[in-house]
Amino acid sequence: RKFVIIDSEIGYTGGLNIADEYINVKERFGYWKDNMVRIQGPATWNLTNLFLNMWNSFYYTDESYEPFRIDHFMNETREIQEDEAAMNEMGFVQPFGDTPLDVEPVGENVYREILNNAQDYVYIYTPYLVISYELQTAMQLAAKRGVDVRLMTPGIPDKKMVFRLTRSYYRPLMKAGIKIYEYTPGFLHAKTFVSDDKVATVGTINLDYRSLYLHFETSTMFYYHPVIED
């Protein structure tokens, strides 16, 4: 999980760790490509809760999370809910977390739902590709029913063994009609889905077993939101 949360009002989240290569001050694997989002408003409260839940699981200090809540968010949320036109214009923003401590692979389920519901296209950034049969099948079936599925992976690897594993999935995916591109200027570290101009996710969840089943991860879903075009 990668969070920067400011007063529960502004949040930054996505693929970037705090290291020089992520902002291309230091070059290790060519140009580093990553995605982040800046969230402002009530959705930031989800990030705050995810952070505090983990913080207090190791070092319990907060009896209540209410001191971290910005009061005007509650009024703002109620006003938006009462104005259906405003909601349609703004869309929905839903940060969520994934954890190995339950029985639900939330990240994989979100990705599969995007693929299963796509009608026109699904574009995917992932630095690693070591997927389950179910996720591979969802990608293949989407392509076979005419959805334009495009997958971008790194052209320059940070982990050579994982790079070889990633490429081992190319043949069956391409046979189903999926277009695969490798980012040649350097290392692609972004974890992003975008589909049909309607839904997108930006987060930390790679398409590999560690992210999908073993890690504490996070992502943010955008639904009918103007930022999807970006």
Side-chain angles (χ1 to χ4, degrees):
R1 294 178 179 179
K2 300 96 160 55
F3 295 148
V4 175
I5 305 165
I6 305 163
D7 295 337
S8 292
E9 185 168 4
I10 297 172
Y12 293 89
T13 186
L16 271 74
N17 293 310
I18 301 175
D20 285 342
E21 63 262 33
Y22 286 79
I23 57 173
N24 290 295
V25 171
K26 178 181 178 181
E27 183 175 316
R28 294 183 62 200
F29 310 106
Y31 187 86
W32 196 286
K33 163 66 180 170
D34 223 318
N35 280 3
M36 292 283 285
V37 291
R38 179 185 189 271
I39 301 169
Q40 184 167 1
T44 313
W45 182 240
N46 291 51
L47 302 181
T48 304
N49 271 272
L50 287 165
F51 178 87
L52 291 172
N53 285 342
M54 182 166 283
W55 178 271
N56 284 281
S57 67
F58 292 100
Y59 187 68
Y60 188 77
T61 56
D62 303 302
E63 294 184 1
S64 172
Y65 293 173
E66 288 304 311
F68 298 91
R69 184 188 293 268
I70 305 297
D71 291 337
H72 71 78
F73 282 172
M74 300 305 295
N75 295 328
E76 183 181 320
T77 303
R78 280 194 291 269
E79 290 172 3
I80 291 174
Q81 289 173 342
E82 292 168 2
D83 188 346
E84 185 176 351
M87 180 61 79
N88 290 335
E89 182 180 345
M90 294 179 65
F92 296 88
V93 181
Q94 180 66 61
F96 62 92
D98 204 353
T99 168
L101 302 181
D102 60 21
V103 295
E104 183 177 6
V106 177
E108 181 178 24
N109 289 344
V110 168
Y111 289 161
R112 288 171 60 187
E113 282 294 298
I114 292 173
L115 289 160
N116 292 340
N117 286 287
Q119 296 181 347
D120 297 319
Y121 75 86
V122 181
Y123 298 159
I124 303 167
Y125 279 164
T126 183
Y128 315 116
L129 186 68
V130 187
I131 51 177
S132 66
Y133 171 80
E134 290 80 9
L135 187 51
Q136 178 178 333
T137 301
M139 296 173 69
Q140 291 170 320
L141 290 179
K144 287 180 178 180
R145 69 173 185 271
V147 176
D148 180 10
V149 181
R150 302 187 187 187
L151 180 67
M152 186 177 289
T153 62
I156 300 175
D158 68 334
K159 300 176 178 65
K160 292 183 179 180
M161 182 61 73
V162 181
F163 186 63
R164 293 190 180 110
L165 283 170
T166 291
R167 284 183 159 183
S168 74
Y169 285 86
Y170 284 6
R171 185 182 295 275
L173 294 176
M174 292 172 66
K175 188 176 181 181
I178 296 168
K179 302 179 182 70
I180 300 176
Y181 303 85
E182 291 186 346
Y183 180 76
T184 56
F187 185 64
L188 174 72
H189 192 252
K191 310 91 164 50
T192 303
F193 271 59
V194 61
S195 177
D196 294 350
D197 299 341
K198 297 178 181 179
V199 62
T201 62
V202 177
T204 69
I205 307 174
N206 302 309
L207 291 181
D208 68 9
Y209 270 78
R210 292 196 307 164
S211 271
L212 296 172
Y213 305 121
L214 303 178
H215 283 181
F216 293 87
E217 302 279 7
T218 186
S219 190
T220 301
M221 174 176 281
F222 301 91
Y223 187 66
Y224 281 99
H225 193 284
V227 78
I228 293 172
E229 185 176 350
D230 295 335

